[in-house]
Every structure is written in C-alpha cells, then in structure tokens.
Amino acid sequence: MSDTPLLSLVIAVYNGEKFLSAFFESIKNQHLNSVELIVVDDGSTDRSAEIIGRYASEFARFRVVTQENQGVSVARNSGLALANGEYLAFPDIDDVIYPGMYNRLLEIATQNRLDVATCNGTYIYDDGRPAKKIFPSDRLASTGVIDGPTWLQMALDSRKFLHVTWLNIYRHDFIKRQGFTFEPGLRHQDIPWTTEVLLTAERVQYIDEALYDYLIHSASVSHTPGTDDTRMRSARHYMKILELLNAINERYPEQVKRVPACHWQIAKEGLGILHSINNIENPDKKREITRELFERGIWEMIWRNARGFKQRWRLGRRYFRLKKIYKAS
C-alpha cells in the first residue's frame, strides 16, 4: 500500500449519531482502493464517538480528531491540516453519496490533471415534493477541461449555481499552494471558499452526472420560520460573506475582469440581507442591524457591485426605506 492515499475524506461530525452508520456504509460502498478518512469529532455530546470508534477498524486509513465544538469550518481546517491524499473531499454526513461518485471524479481528475473535479446532485425533499437536479441540465451541461474563472462565470450565469464543497474533489497540492482554509465561525462558508478556489484554479471539469443526494429536511433550522434574532444572525453572517467576497475580488482583479458575475453575486447575496432586515419585527433590532448595514459600508458595497437594471431597481426601491430607519436610530 502506497504511503500516499489517492483521496482524503475530511469529515466534520457534530452530534451525527442518526447519520453516521449510513454515511460510513456509503463510503465502504464506494470501493475505493486508496482512501484516507480523517474524522473530526467537533465536540459531539451524543453517541457519535461510539459509532466512529466502531467503524475505525473497517478502513485501512482512519484517523480521528476530537476537539471542543468550534464549528464546521474549524473542524474542516483541523482535518485539512492532517490530510495526506493527492485529492481532497469534504462530504456532509447527512446526505447520500452514490457508490461510484468518488471513483468517477478521481477518474476524470487523474486523467486530466484537474485542480477541481465536480459533478451534479439531486435535491431530495422529505415533504413529498418531487426530486430535482441541483444544476438543471438545460442551464449547465457537462464541460471539457476549462479554467476555473470560465467555469465560475458559466455557473453563476446559470442563476442555479450552489456554492458547496461536497460535489467536488480538489487537488491537494493546489489547495496547499494557495493556502486555502475555511473561515471560522461562518455559516455558508462554502460561498467564499468556492469563489476563491475557482478564481485561481487552472484546470476544472464538470460532469452532469447526479452522484449525490442532498437531503432537505422540512423541519431543519434553515427551512422553518425564523425569529428576529435568527434573522439578525443571518444578516451578520452574510455581511461577513460580502466582506470576504469583496476582498477576494480585490485580490484577483485580473480574474474578476473575466468573471463579472463576481460583482453580481455580491449584490445578489446583499439582497438576501435586505430581505432578512425587512422581516425583523422589533423596531429596535431593525434599527440596530440597519445602522450596522450602513456604518460597516455594506450598503455601499452592495450598490457598487450591482449589475443590470433589475438589481439596481430592486436595491433602489429599498434604499429610502432603509435610510429612514437609519436616520431614526
């Protein structure tokens, strides 16, 4: 057995006892010849550690890291620092990975010397709605080998792109050379990660093959009505995301010239912030987050990056209402 595995799976776990057995079985069913599992138990308080221990002997390379709960980004960074594989993947434990997924991605990655290999997946709803592809085939078709900026522009232009790590594998040397890590403490950290990875990747390929089921639970936090406090937290997370995206755009000006949708996506995510603010019912909390929007320079950033009449119209019609709230604070 070679000292260097072909693939490292970096697996963040927090209270995953409901999913871990099925997840590890799905990895066994991949029938990978050269894989390393790095399981980061991020302070679980349920039976996760027991289940992880039960599977440790079923894989040739299986490493467990136990740490205090610090969130998925820190867990991934802990695993990333220990990874030895030629390629990296960051699967979520509560989804379904088809048996051939990683072998298929490794096939195109090794044949074509890819920095990033990516596939399609399927949205699976637990409330009876029919399943559907994550990336509709009429919006995003399979590609040959292209550079990352080209793929990012195509993907964002589709208006159906999902910034996720779990549909991809990454060449480890590329990630290491760029020094990429995940932003600690940030929800939806995949947005800045994916953007920067693709802006700098030289060889990328997408295959329109649905090899992953993304399970959408109707009772999950992200799909149930929020409170004022959750809306404020969401707004602040996305303000941080916008600051990160803006910094990325400034770091790679030549690439961004080729990907004008990098500006569009800042305004698009910014409109989500405005929607959260609009739904806050408590006047004091609404004033507080609106003041932050203007004083952190987030509004100016959103407006500066808006592209096209539709985005500017949607922003403009909200401006005077927000400014009135801000002046009253």
Side-chain angles (χ1 to χ4, degrees):
M1 184 167 60
S2 169
D3 289 339
T4 303
L6 186 56
L7 179 66
S8 291
L9 298 178
V10 176
I11 303 155
V13 176
Y14 177 69
N15 289 349
E17 66 177 4
K18 288 193 223 175
F19 313 107
L20 279 170
S21 293
F23 171 78
F24 285 125
E25 290 297 327
S26 76
I27 300 303
K28 286 168 61 178
N29 290 335
Q30 295 285 312
H31 300 297
L32 293 160
N33 294 323
S34 181
V35 63
E36 165 188 65
L37 277 70
I38 302 174
V39 183
V40 182
D41 185 352
D42 189 39
S44 296
T45 57
D46 62 359
R47 294 175 51 250
S48 291
E50 175 189 333
I51 299 168
I52 292 167
R54 201 160 66 228
Y55 278 92
S57 62
E58 301 198 28
F59 297 89
R61 297 181 177 92
F62 193 99
R63 185 165 184 176
V64 181
V65 178
T66 303
Q67 61 186 36
E68 293 182 2
N69 179 246
Q70 299 173 73
V72 64
S73 292
V74 175
R76 283 177 174 173
N77 289 341
S78 297
L80 178 57
L82 299 173
N84 298 299
E86 293 181 34
Y87 289 88
L88 304 165
F90 303 91
D92 279 357
I93 62 169
D94 57 344
D95 295 330
V96 176
I97 304 167
Y98 287 23
M101 175 174 170
Y102 287 125
N103 276 317
R104 181 73 175 104
L105 290 176
L106 287 166
E107 176 188 17
I108 64 171
T110 54
Q111 284 179 354
N112 297 316
R113 297 176 291 109
L114 300 179
D115 294 324
V116 183
T118 185
C119 64
N120 208 341
T122 307
Y123 289 122
I124 303 294
Y125 302 90
D126 69 357
D127 59 4
R129 282 179 289 169
K132 65 178 182 179
K133 276 187 171 182
I134 293 174
F135 305 137
S137 298
D138 61 344
R139 297 287 189 95
L140 284 173
S142 296
T143 71
V145 179
I146 54 180
D147 64 25
T150 299
W151 168 244
L152 182 58
Q153 180 65 30
M154 289 170 58
L156 291 174
D157 269 351
S158 77
R159 302 299 191 254
K160 293 293 183 180
F161 185 53
L162 191 67
H163 292 81
V164 293
T165 62
W166 33 258
L167 288 175
N168 311 324
I169 65 172
Y170 307 91
R171 189 166 60 83
H172 194 176
D173 282 349
F174 160 65
I175 297 297
K176 191 186 300 182
R177 185 177 72 247
Q178 298 292 343
F180 292 144
T181 57
F182 295 91
E183 183 70 20
L186 184 68
R187 287 182 60 203
H188 308 298
Q189 74 287 340
D190 289 5
I191 298 174
W193 164 275
T194 304
T195 299
E196 190 163 18
V197 163
L198 292 178
L199 280 175
T200 54
E202 295 179 359
R203 298 179 66 81
V204 175
Q205 187 172 1
Y206 167 70
I207 52 173
D208 182 20
E209 299 174 22
L211 301 174
Y212 191 104
D213 285 349
Y214 177 54
L215 307 182
I216 298 180
H217 308 283
S218 55
S220 70
V221 171
S222 59
H223 296 93
T224 52
T227 65
D228 281 355
D229 287 340
T230 60
R231 293 176 189 116
M232 289 183 75
R233 279 198 299 273
S234 176
R236 288 189 170 114
H237 277 290
Y238 275 95
M239 286 182 192
K240 178 64 175 177
I241 287 170
L242 262 58
E243 289 169 339
L244 291 170
L245 289 174
N246 190 64
I248 289 168
N249 286 358
E250 291 177 351
R251 269 200 299 279
Y252 306 103
E254 294 307 310
Q255 290 94 322
V256 170
K257 284 179 185 176
R258 296 177 48 210
V259 190
C262 281
H263 297 290
W264 169 86
Q265 76 169 342
I266 287 178
K268 176 248 187 184
E269 302 296 354
L271 281 163
I273 295 173
L274 304 188
H275 180 72
S276 293
I277 292 174
N278 185 61
N279 287 333
I280 293 172
E281 296 177 357
N282 183 290
D284 292 335
K285 291 180 177 180
K286 182 173 285 194
R287 281 192 293 270
E288 178 185 343
I289 199 70
T290 302
R291 183 169 63 249
E292 195 168 330
L293 177 81
F294 284 102
E295 294 182 358
R296 281 175 66 170
I298 302 297
W299 170 266
E300 191 276 333
M301 184 191 303
I302 296 169
W303 181 258
R304 187 177 68 246
N305 283 279
R307 293 296 182 269
F309 173 79
K310 184 176 179 180
Q311 270 194 341
R312 289 192 176 273
W313 179 79
R314 292 178 68 192
L315 288 169
R317 63 194 289 265
R318 289 164 171 80
Y319 174 77
F320 294 103
R321 188 187 316 153
L322 287 165
K323 202 68 175 178
K324 184 177 179 180
I325 296 168
Y326 174 61
K327 288 180 178 177
S329 63

